[in-house]
Amino acid sequence: MVPHLRTALTGALSDLEHKMLEATPMIERWLRMEWQEHTPPFYSSVDLRQAGFKLAPVSTNLFPNGFEHLAEEMYPLATQAAMAAVEKYCPDARNLLIIPEAQTNSSHDLQSLAHLANILRLTGLNVRLGSFSDSVTQPTSLSLSDGQTLVLEPIERNGRRITLDNGRFDPCTILLNNSLSSGIPKVLENIKEQIVLPPLHAGWTVRRQSTHFDAYDAVVKRFAKFLDIDPWLINAQHSQLSNLDFNLPASTEELSHTVEQLLKKIAKKYKEYGIKDKPFVMIKPDAGMSRAAIKIHSANELKTLEHSWLHTMNSNKNHHIVADVLIQEGVPTIERINEEIAEPIVYMIDRYVVGGFYRINAESMDETINPHDTHFKSLPYIKQSERTKEDLNSAYNRFYSYGVVARLAMLAASLELEQTDPNPDFN
Amino acid sequence: MVPHLRTALTGALSDLEHKMLEATPMIERWLRMEWQEHTPPFYSSVDLRQAGFKLAPVSTNLFPNGFEHLAEEMYPLATQAAMAAVEKYCPDARNLLIIPEAQTNSSHDLQSLAHLANILRLTGLNVRLGSFSDSVTQPTSLSLSDGQTLVLEPIERNGRRITLDNGRFDPCTILLNNSLSSGIPKVLENIKEQIVLPPLHAGWTVRRQSTHFDAYDAVVKRFAKFLDIDPWLINAQHSQLSNLDFNLPASTEELSHTVEQLLKKIAKKYKEYGIKDKPFVMIKPDAGMSRAAIKIHSANELKTLEHSWLHTMNSNKNHHIVADVLIQEGVPTIERINEEIAEPIVYMIDRYVVGGFYRINAESMDETINPHDTHFKSLPYIKQSERTKEDLNSAYNRFYSYGVVARLAMLAASLELEQTDPNPDFN
């Protein structure tokens, strides 16, 4: 089930959209059966790229932080999905603790946090916010631009439990909205009596983009066979390289070679489908959601880059002198809102799609580091009264294929977390 | 979790509302724990009466047939809840068969059916409608006032399964939207390989109002103790009488005595709470959702009634000459919309409240048999932009207490279905 939201897509339905819409009962059943075997992450968001000829995930976030961009009408759906998740993990929960990013300076981050806390409060839980940051030594009020206030409290370790307020707030569930990119703090280690969601190994200390996309390859292989489509239509190809050190010519050579190989593979596919676009790849840090991605159209371009860019690949900020990178097929985006590039992000809680929004910019996120002028547009419901046969977005749920591909990426995250679980027997 | 919908209530919050709103995390937890032990019905609707001094269910329908009265914005919530239910009962489902009432002549019934089918289709299931009526011998198109068409197909028995279309449509789940008040048809007996929801013993052939309200008494006893309230505040007292035959003076006497006793109990409670209203009771058939309820303010009034009214008590239409009746405390309603009486009905799918509406009439449903001029008003979401401190309906979720009481009635239905299950070991 994917809510019928309005996408920026216009024009005729693609073969892929047709196929997915027609196979809806089979696809929903396929996914239901998968969730019998695998546990979805508590929440997730998936960045998609819609090229028209293909639709693929390029990034899966297990600590989504854009809840404020969802349309207001999506919140009941999000709350109901969160209720289903809470029931599964901790039916006797009264209290839930959210641990946000240590640095929640930006007004966006605070708004997202306020919305997330509100979604969870509406399930009927007492929700409080805790920090393990050294700078939070007492309850600290954070003012939001809309006049709301959030209170961040220092977390305490009580034996094998985390509490707030001298033990007076004892949560059943600890929800991380913190990607742990600076490492797992000691205070969060060896918590056994409370449920930490997502598990600590979902943080960027352990998580790797390449592990995720390897899992996605496996998911897509099965799904594409089931739907009888070319897996490439929903998958951006990728390679991974470890321990690159650009002081060594061997590393430069290795990266150059890998980029070339991947560009060749893309070119071959473009030829097969008669696509005239120029192939490109994205080089990203293998750990972290950093925006420090670099767009490359040929191995030669690598030579013109400053060596310093490698440092931007090193997202975990521990000053490694070597870098692990993901080299990912670039997927052009055809979606436009007011002539600006619109890149969709799909939000899920438990196994339910609960909404989405576009990140809009004059240039693609893939073009620049830290783009300015980025803005966001929520995907709204299409109301019965708005539906016409002429409007393909209202006659068909064009958001359906986005919901399918995003859920395949979520399923990949489930497999990834199973594979990387340091204590699989405890589950 | 109860969505924040706009009720017709105005004025200060009652103590009961205050208490429930404050105890939300405890109440939600209490309910979650109950659903660990008991399975909610696939769907249900509960008629409530809001007296201000008390809020109580007066009828619980396990075959809800007013889906067309829900606000459009509730359908995604209903679909997501239905998806959770389908996953529980039959994750490998592709096909779902709805069996509607044999006589779906009214435009309301057809609209409700169309909405129900649509909610279920949006979960990604193939949904078709089947009839066991002798008059449906081939696929029959039913035209709706809005131009839609529903197709009703004859159901076939294939061994231990029900199918359509010469076995080509083989559902995993059979959803009854038929209260079986004319008995359980042979074609539905002994289905073992498919899931029938709700189970056959939820039909009025087996079900009794009194069994439901006995179960509700038990639920309320525990809940009221937990919340530390007088159970009467959320419960209409009731008595039950079997095998009444009004040709016998003993039956008249028995009914008269029971009515008198119940009126005395109500009067005592009214005195305790300083309520000036005149106590009344409703006499209803113990089987069926018939509107043939009679309002009685004193045992004397019984004498003035024609004996023929007893026949209206006999809802299962099998021409029994004796009747089983429920005598229920009358709960006056203070809710008004445009000066007309507004009686709320809360809709639930699985354990989720998915919306509600008011049945509106110049007179209460409890006043007349077959009231004319009845109309319906959906309860809409209260949007963020509409919220003000002055509007108590937007500052607080006044629908919350409705959602709590309705879910207690749903829980009672779960207990009732457990108790009346003819084959408890099969589950």
Side-chain angles (χ1 to χ4, degrees), chain A residues 76-326:
Chain A
L77 212 56
T79 299
Q80 191 176 275
M83 193 177 162
V86 167
E87 259 165 13
K88 190 163 53 187
Y89 292 108
C90 200
D92 65 348
R94 255 169 299 219
N95 300 330
L96 181 138
L97 172 67
I98 302 178
I99 300 186
E101 292 293 339
Q103 305 295 331
T104 43
N105 298 324
S106 92
S107 129
H108 266 320
D109 286 349
L110 289 178
Q111 281 292 351
S112 175
L113 189 56
H115 279 85
L116 172 61
N118 201 33
I119 288 167
L120 291 162
R121 276 194 191 108
L122 287 173
T123 68
L125 292 167
N126 295 313
V127 176
R128 284 163 78 168
L129 311 177
S131 173
F132 53 76
S133 165
D134 292 338
S135 61
V136 178
T137 54
Q138 54 183 29
T140 307
S141 290
L142 304 168
S143 293
L144 277 69
S145 52
D146 63 359
Q148 283 186 83
T149 302
L150 293 175
V151 178
L152 202 56
E153 298 173 73
I155 63 173
E156 317 141 346
R157 187 69 185 237
N158 259 329
R160 304 175 99 181
R161 301 183 74 88
I162 293 283
T163 59
L164 295 182
D165 201 4
N166 294 316
R168 277 189 285 268
F169 186 79
D170 188 350
C172 170
T173 306
I174 298 165
L175 182 65
L176 295 176
N177 198 238
N178 182 314
S179 64
L180 304 177
S181 29
S182 311
I184 299 172
K186 211 167 163 46
V187 68
L188 290 183
E189 281 173 2
N190 293 312
I191 298 171
K192 299 287 181 208
E193 295 168 358
Q194 292 161 309
I195 294 161
V196 180
L197 295 171
L200 293 179
H201 65 280
W204 286 115
T205 324
V206 175
R207 200 175 173 226
R208 293 294 173 269
Q209 298 267 10
S210 55
T211 314
H212 176 69
F213 286 107
D214 287 347
Y216 187 71
D217 286 349
V219 166
V220 163
K221 193 176 171 187
R222 285 192 295 116
F223 181 79
K225 193 175 171 188
F226 153 78
L227 196 64
D228 191 23
I229 57 168
D230 179 352
W232 182 72
L233 297 179
I234 52 173
N235 198 356
Q237 301 166 89
H238 74 278
S239 297
Q240 190 263 0
L241 290 175
S242 300
N243 298 323
L244 290 184
D245 176 350
F246 279 60
N247 296 315
L248 303 175
S251 281
T252 320
E253 182 56 36
E254 197 183 0
L255 179 60
S256 176
H257 178 72
T258 305
V259 165
E260 214 160 312
Q261 290 303 105
L262 188 52
L263 284 169
K264 268 188 197 160
K265 281 164 81 179
I266 304 168
K268 200 178 153 201
K269 276 291 176 187
Y270 275 21
K271 199 175 168 192
E272 181 185 336
Y273 284 92
I275 296 157
K276 303 295 178 200
D277 296 44
K278 190 170 166 59
F280 65 98
V281 298
M282 302 300 300
I283 306 177
K284 306 173 172 183
D286 201 17
M289 297 288 290
S290 152
R291 300 297 179 207
I294 288 169
K295 186 177 181 174
I296 295 289
H297 292 85
S298 76
N300 278 337
E301 278 180 45
L302 282 173
K303 293 177 192 153
T304 67
L305 292 168
E306 298 273 342
H307 278 192
S308 64
W309 72 263
L310 185 63
H311 291 289
T312 64
M313 290 292 115
N314 190 6
S315 73
N316 67 11
K317 301 177 184 85
N318 281 339
H319 306 291
H320 288 162
I321 50 163
V322 293
D324 300 342
V325 298
L326 179 82

Side-chain angles (χ1 to χ4, degrees), chain B residues 386-416:
Chain B
E386 294 167 355
R387 290 185 192 167
T388 63
K389 280 185 189 163
E390 294 69 37
D391 172 10
L392 286 180
N393 233 314
S394 76
Y396 302 91
N397 182 0
R398 294 197 85 155
F399 185 61
Y400 185 66
S401 55
Y402 296 70
V404 172
V405 174
R407 285 182 294 169
L408 294 177
M410 163 164 67
L411 177 57
S414 302
L415 299 177
E416 175 199 347

